[in-house]
């Protein structure tokens, strides 16, 4: 592999901005602990912490943590093995460089 076989992470800016501009409550996730698959809207969300904690409705393990400050946010999805996000069909698919 040569140094020209990849581009840096700045290439992800557009695709990630497009991805996170959609309603994630309809996104599907799988719990890393028990394997339950379902919409993120079904998570049990606890808000009496410094941030939000989303727990699996089947096994109650943490799937998502979200903490906000005035100028940034931290999103931790270590408890989810994937997040499948439905994309509008009218948006163009990003082209590889």
């Amino acid at each position: 592999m040569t140094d020209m076989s990849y581009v840096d992470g700045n290439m992800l800016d557009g695709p990630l901005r497009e991805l996170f501009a959609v309603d994630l409550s309809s996104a599907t996730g799988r719990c890393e602990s028990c394997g339950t698959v379902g919409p993120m809207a079904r998570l049990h969300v606890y808000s009496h912490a410094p941030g939000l904690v989303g727990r699996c409705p089947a096994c109650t393990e943490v799937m998502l943590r979200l903490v906000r400050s005035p100028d940034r946010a931290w999103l931790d999805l270590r408890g989810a093995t994937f997040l499948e996000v439905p994309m509008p069909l009218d948006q163009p698919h990003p082209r590889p460089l």
Side-chain angles (χ1 to χ4, degrees):
M1 182 182 333
T2 67
D3 287 341
M4 297 304 293
S5 63
Y6 68 91
V7 295
D8 70 24
N10 287 309
M11 187 271 182
L12 294 171
D13 180 53
L16 287 176
R17 186 177 308 220
E18 176 188 19
L19 183 67
F20 284 106
V22 298
D23 177 12
L24 290 179
S25 64
S26 62
T28 300
R30 179 172 49 202
C31 176
E32 181 180 50
S33 179
C34 72
T36 296
V37 175
M40 299 303 279
R42 288 195 185 152
L43 293 181
H44 296 179
V45 179
Y46 298 86
S47 60
H48 38 273
L52 301 173
V53 174
R55 292 184 172 270
C56 174
C59 73
T60 71
E61 287 295 319
V62 175
M63 288 180 62
L64 174 146
R65 295 168 190 87
L66 176 61
V67 177
R68 286 284 320 257
S69 76
D71 64 340
R72 64 193 68 212
W74 293 265
L75 177 61
D76 178 352
L77 292 167
R78 279 181 286 176
T81 59
F82 71 79
L83 187 63
E84 179 184 335
V85 180
M87 298 298 291
L89 293 175
D90 61 345
Q91 291 184 352
H93 184 69
R95 295 181 185 170
L97 294 175

